[in-house]
PDB file of all heavy atoms in Angstrom:
ATOM      1  N   SER A 407      86.529-149.034 273.554  1.00  0.00           N
ATOM      2  CA  SER A 407      87.738-149.845 273.364  1.00  0.00           C
ATOM      3  C   SER A 407      87.944-150.738 274.581  1.00  0.00           C
ATOM      4  O   SER A 407      87.506-150.418 275.691  1.00  0.00           O
ATOM      5  CB  SER A 407      88.960-148.951 273.187  1.00  0.00           C
ATOM      6  OG  SER A 407      88.833-148.170 272.013  1.00  0.00           O
ATOM      7  N   GLU A 408      88.572-151.867 274.367  1.00  0.00           N
ATOM      8  CA  GLU A 408      88.899-152.749 275.460  1.00  0.00           C
ATOM      9  C   GLU A 408      89.717-151.998 276.501  1.00  0.00           C
ATOM     10  O   GLU A 408      90.667-151.286 276.164  1.00  0.00           O
ATOM     11  CB  GLU A 408      89.666-153.963 274.955  1.00  0.00           C
ATOM     12  CG  GLU A 408      89.783-155.108 275.950  1.00  0.00           C
ATOM     13  CD  GLU A 408      90.364-156.356 275.335  1.00  0.00           C
ATOM     14  OE1 GLU A 408      91.034-156.270 274.292  1.00  0.00           O
ATOM     15  OE2 GLU A 408      90.155-157.424 275.895  1.00  0.00           O
ATOM     16  N   GLY A 409      89.336-152.126 277.764  1.00  0.00           N
ATOM     17  CA  GLY A 409      90.016-151.426 278.839  1.00  0.00           C
ATOM     18  C   GLY A 409      89.420-150.065 279.170  1.00  0.00           C
ATOM     19  O   GLY A 409      89.760-149.492 280.207  1.00  0.00           O
ATOM     20  N   ALA A 410      88.546-149.549 278.339  1.00  0.00           N
ATOM     21  CA  ALA A 410      87.940-148.247 278.568  1.00  0.00           C
ATOM     22  C   ALA A 410      86.713-148.360 279.486  1.00  0.00           C
ATOM     23  O   ALA A 410      86.177-149.463 279.689  1.00  0.00           O
ATOM     24  CB  ALA A 410      87.528-147.611 277.253  1.00  0.00           C
ATOM     25  N   LEU A 411      86.300-147.226 280.008  1.00  0.00           N
ATOM     26  CA  LEU A 411      85.115-147.167 280.864  1.00  0.00           C
ATOM     27  C   LEU A 411      83.856-147.460 280.029  1.00  0.00           C
ATOM     28  O   LEU A 411      83.693-146.956 278.915  1.00  0.00           O
ATOM     29  CB  LEU A 411      84.990-145.777 281.488  1.00  0.00           C
ATOM     30  CG  LEU A 411      83.700-145.472 282.234  1.00  0.00           C
ATOM     31  CD1 LEU A 411      83.654-146.237 283.545  1.00  0.00           C
ATOM     32  CD2 LEU A 411      83.546-143.977 282.458  1.00  0.00           C
ATOM     33  N   VAL A 412      82.986-148.246 280.632  1.00  0.00           N
ATOM     34  CA  VAL A 412      81.671-148.510 280.043  1.00  0.00           C
ATOM     35  C   VAL A 412      80.623-147.687 280.826  1.00  0.00           C
ATOM     36  O   VAL A 412      80.610-147.741 282.059  1.00  0.00           O
ATOM     37  CB  VAL A 412      81.286-149.989 280.122  1.00  0.00           C
ATOM     38  CG1 VAL A 412      79.864-150.213 279.601  1.00  0.00           C
ATOM     39  CG2 VAL A 412      82.272-150.841 279.330  1.00  0.00           C
ATOM     40  N   LEU A 413      79.812-146.927 280.103  1.00  0.00           N
ATOM     41  CA  LEU A 413      78.726-146.161 280.709  1.00  0.00           C
ATOM     42  C   LEU A 413      77.490-146.342 279.850  1.00  0.00           C
ATOM     43  O   LEU A 413      77.448-145.894 278.697  1.00  0.00           O
ATOM     44  CB  LEU A 413      79.069-144.678 280.828  1.00  0.00           C
ATOM     45  CG  LEU A 413      77.916-143.744 281.240  1.00  0.00           C
ATOM     46  CD1 LEU A 413      77.381-144.124 282.636  1.00  0.00           C
ATOM     47  CD2 LEU A 413      78.375-142.292 281.211  1.00  0.00           C
ATOM     48  N   LEU A 414      76.488-147.003 280.387  1.00  0.00           N
ATOM     49  CA  LEU A 414      75.218-147.187 279.705  1.00  0.00           C
ATOM     50  C   LEU A 414      74.150-146.452 280.500  1.00  0.00           C
ATOM     51  O   LEU A 414      73.988-146.700 281.692  1.00  0.00           O
ATOM     52  CB  LEU A 414      74.883-148.679 279.585  1.00  0.00           C
ATOM     53  CG  LEU A 414      75.946-149.549 278.901  1.00  0.00           C
ATOM     54  CD1 LEU A 414      75.465-150.996 278.806  1.00  0.00           C
ATOM     55  CD2 LEU A 414      76.304-149.024 277.529  1.00  0.00           C
ATOM     56  N   ARG A 415      73.413-145.584 279.817  1.00  0.00           N
ATOM     57  CA  ARG A 415      72.517-144.687 280.493  1.00  0.00           C
ATOM     58  C   ARG A 415      71.066-145.201 280.553  1.00  0.00           C
ATOM     59  O   ARG A 415      70.564-145.745 279.561  1.00  0.00           O
ATOM     60  CB  ARG A 415      72.522-143.306 279.837  1.00  0.00           C
ATOM     61  CG  ARG A 415      73.891-142.654 279.832  1.00  0.00           C
ATOM     62  CD  ARG A 415      73.878-141.326 279.118  1.00  0.00           C
ATOM     63  NE  ARG A 415      75.223-140.772 278.990  1.00  0.00           N
ATOM     64  CZ  ARG A 415      75.812-140.020 279.924  1.00  0.00           C
ATOM     65  NH1 ARG A 415      75.155-139.743 281.033  1.00  0.00           N
ATOM     66  NH2 ARG A 415      77.026-139.579 279.726  1.00  0.00           N
ATOM     67  N   CYS A 416      70.455-144.982 281.687  1.00  0.00           N
ATOM     68  CA  CYS A 416      69.073-145.411 281.890  1.00  0.00           C
ATOM     69  C   CYS A 416      68.376-144.346 282.745  1.00  0.00           C
ATOM     70  O   CYS A 416      68.859-144.016 283.834  1.00  0.00           O
ATOM     71  CB  CYS A 416      68.980-146.764 282.575  1.00  0.00           C
ATOM     72  SG  CYS A 416      67.305-147.268 283.086  1.00  0.00           S
ATOM     73  N   ASN A 417      67.261-143.846 282.272  1.00  0.00           N
ATOM     74  CA  ASN A 417      66.408-142.966 283.060  1.00  0.00           C
ATOM     75  C   ASN A 417      65.033-143.589 283.200  1.00  0.00           C
ATOM     76  O   ASN A 417      64.540-144.218 282.269  1.00  0.00           O
ATOM     77  CB  ASN A 417      66.298-141.589 282.409  1.00  0.00           C
ATOM     78  CG  ASN A 417      67.569-140.784 282.525  1.00  0.00           C
ATOM     79  OD1 ASN A 417      68.451-140.892 281.667  1.00  0.00           O
ATOM     80  ND2 ASN A 417      67.688-140.037 283.597  1.00  0.00           N
ATOM     81  N   TYR A 418      64.428-143.404 284.349  1.00  0.00           N
ATOM     82  CA  TYR A 418      63.155-144.038 284.600  1.00  0.00           C
ATOM     83  C   TYR A 418      62.121-142.994 284.983  1.00  0.00           C
ATOM     84  O   TYR A 418      62.458-141.858 285.381  1.00  0.00           O
ATOM     85  CB  TYR A 418      63.293-145.065 285.739  1.00  0.00           C
ATOM     86  CG  TYR A 418      63.505-144.433 287.068  1.00  0.00           C
ATOM     87  CD1 TYR A 418      62.457-144.082 287.907  1.00  0.00           C
ATOM     88  CD2 TYR A 418      64.803-144.114 287.501  1.00  0.00           C
ATOM     89  CE1 TYR A 418      62.646-143.466 289.127  1.00  0.00           C
ATOM     90  CE2 TYR A 418      65.023-143.514 288.710  1.00  0.00           C
ATOM     91  CZ  TYR A 418      63.952-143.159 289.529  1.00  0.00           C
ATOM     92  OH  TYR A 418      64.172-142.557 290.715  1.00  0.00           O
TER      93      TYR A 418
END
Side-chain angles (χ1 to χ4, degrees):
Chain A
S407 297
E408 193 171 21
L411 171 72
V412 175
L413 171 60
L414 304 182
R415 300 178 186 274
C416 172
N417 287 90
Y418 70 91

